[in-house]
Amino acid sequence: MKAICVKADGGLEVRDIPEPDALPPGHVLVQMDSSAINHGDKSFLAMPQAAGNPLANRRHNTWGASGAGRIVAIGDHVPVDYHAGKQVAIYWSLCRSPEGIGLWSEKALVPFETCLILPDHVQMRDYSGSLVNVMTAYAFLDEIAADGHKGIIVTAGSSATGYAAASLVRRRGVPAIFVTRSTSSRDMLIQQDVEHVLASEEEGFEQKLGTLAAQLETTAVFDGVGGALITRIAPHLVMNSTIYVYGFLGAKVPVSTLLVMGKNLTIRRFSNFESATVKNRSRLSAALRDLEGQIENPMFRTRIGREFSFEQIDEAMAYEAVPGAKAVLAIR
């Protein structure tokens, strides 16, 4: 079968690899429909140290973390819900396995815990990049609640994770402010009935943010941008706020030490696959079951910028869509 694999120099190429002839316990074989390309795919290939060893636990150096497909076979000890014929959205990093085959392949081999069962009537392609963003937002909200925070600021408000967070905070009743780069992206979120949205390009942005942050007690910042934006908003954060760094778009987080001391700011990283929600097997199972009941929410669907074939992988990796949209490898 065909798969996209990582070469010794970190580049990608299409190879023919053996199709699994036996399934390990706890694993499912999935006929892939489509796989999205996330910012993380590009970042981890360019900076492997950011993910430890991103090729660990990938047979044949296969790549791909997000996708959707249909289960065609199951190994022993897989729950009956995950039977052949079920549509699933998959996020590789939820449970890594040395037996696994990555999602940029015609058939993926993954632990069943990486899969969210989709309703039979939905289009799989609409969820080809969804689970990574939904689980990131879900695990983040769990983590900030455990840390004692009542409200959040999301700097990448128009991203796929931002859209997922907008839906989840509404369901959980968490006060939230969403920051977008442009007024057009702000207006799109407002059209989705998201209440507190600010564009960083609008006049008086910093002052508006500071006022809202104080009113809503948004002391947790989900920072998927970094760089200049976090420099702009840090002076306007509430005392004792924590900036959770997620993403690599801005690379640097230049916040003055005087400001850190004066506002007692904390800067720490957030990793969804190292979160308590994902690392604890029972919590992960509960989260997936909870999300199964919400997954049809339009805010969770993958926004597809353009579809590519395997042979167009270099073009797909270079593709830049509008904020929140993704390049998708169409397999079927």
Side-chain angles (χ1 to χ4, degrees):
M1 64 182 184
K2 292 189 180 299
I4 295 174
C5 305
V6 183
K7 299 185 293 184
D9 63 3
L12 297 170
E13 66 179 1
V14 181
R15 297 176 186 163
D16 285 315
I17 65 170
E19 183 173 330
D21 55 4
L23 273 63
H27 287 63
V28 295
L29 185 66
V30 180
Q31 175 69 62
M32 297 302 296
D33 171 84
S34 46
S35 294
I37 297 177
N38 302 308
H39 285 295
D41 292 308
K42 301 178 183 181
S43 300
F44 294 150
L45 284 170
M47 299 179 291
Q49 69 278 7
N53 181 1
L55 279 177
N57 298 331
R58 291 178 189 264
R59 291 175 68 186
H60 312 296
N61 284 357
T62 51
W63 198 251
S66 296
R70 190 180 302 277
I71 295 174
V72 292
I74 63 173
D76 293 336
H77 311 307
V78 172
V80 294
D81 292 349
Y82 295 86
H83 59 76
K86 276 295 184 182
Q87 298 187 147
V88 290
I90 314 170
Y91 175 28
W92 170 274
S93 298
L94 292 180
C95 184
R96 301 179 184 187
S97 163
E99 307 287 346
I101 294 176
L103 308 189
W104 294 1
S105 57
E106 291 182 307
K107 290 182 181 178
L109 179 64
V110 295
F112 76 87
E113 295 101 327
T114 65
C115 301
L116 180 146
I117 298 173
L118 294 170
D120 294 336
H121 59 272
V122 304
Q123 297 295 315
M124 289 181 282
R125 198 151 300 180
D126 287 339
Y127 299 91
S128 56
S130 297
L131 189 52
V132 56
N133 305 116
V134 176
M135 187 57 73
T136 296
Y138 193 101
F140 177 74
L141 290 174
D142 284 351
E143 184 161 315
I144 63 108
D147 290 345
H149 298 286
K150 297 179 180 178
I152 67 170
I153 297 171
V154 179
T155 63
S158 59
S159 69
T161 304
Y163 269 57
S167 175
L168 291 170
V169 296
R170 182 183 303 159
R171 183 181 177 92
R172 296 192 187 196
V174 175
I177 303 168
F178 294 86
V179 178
T180 67
R181 292 184 180 183
S182 66
T183 53
S184 59
S185 294
R186 175 199 65 192
D187 294 344
M188 289 176 63
L189 268 175
I190 292 173
Q191 289 171 11
Q192 298 292 330
D193 295 325
V194 180
E195 187 174 2
H196 302 295
V197 190
L198 299 173
S200 59
E201 69 178 16
E202 67 184 85
E203 185 176 352
F205 162 70
E206 289 91 345
Q207 289 70 32
K208 293 176 183 177
L209 179 71
T211 300
L212 264 179
Q215 290 175 352
L216 301 177
E217 298 183 82
T218 52
T219 55
V221 181
F222 181 88
D223 181 31
V225 178
L229 181 58
I230 203 67
T231 305
R232 290 177 62 189
I233 71 174
H236 305 278
L237 297 177
V238 178
M239 281 285 296
N240 305 316
S241 290
T242 299
I243 300 168
Y244 295 81
V245 179
Y246 179 85
F248 306 92
L249 295 182
K252 297 181 179 179
V253 184
V255 178
S256 76
T257 54
L258 181 61
L259 186 60
V260 170
M261 295 290 288
K263 283 187 171 283
N264 193 31
L265 299 181
T266 300
I267 302 175
R268 53 177 292 189
R269 80 166 184 162
F270 172 75
S271 168
N272 51 20
F273 46 81
E274 293 182 5
S275 67
T277 301
V278 172
K279 290 179 72 174
N280 182 296
R281 297 293 94 185
S282 61
R283 289 185 61 174
L284 175 59
S285 177
L288 288 169
R289 292 294 177 270
D290 186 20
L291 288 170
E292 282 176 13
Q294 309 176 48
I295 198 65
E296 287 190 77
N297 188 318
M299 299 285 276
F300 291 160
R301 292 178 189 160
T302 303
R303 286 176 279 165
I304 300 174
R306 182 180 162 190
E307 295 182 4
F308 297 85
S309 68
F310 274 12
E311 289 69 26
Q312 295 173 303
I313 183 56
D314 290 337
E315 186 181 353
M317 290 292 284
Y319 176 74
E320 291 293 339
V322 297
K326 301 182 180 186
V328 170
L329 298 169
I331 301 164
R332 299 283 295 173

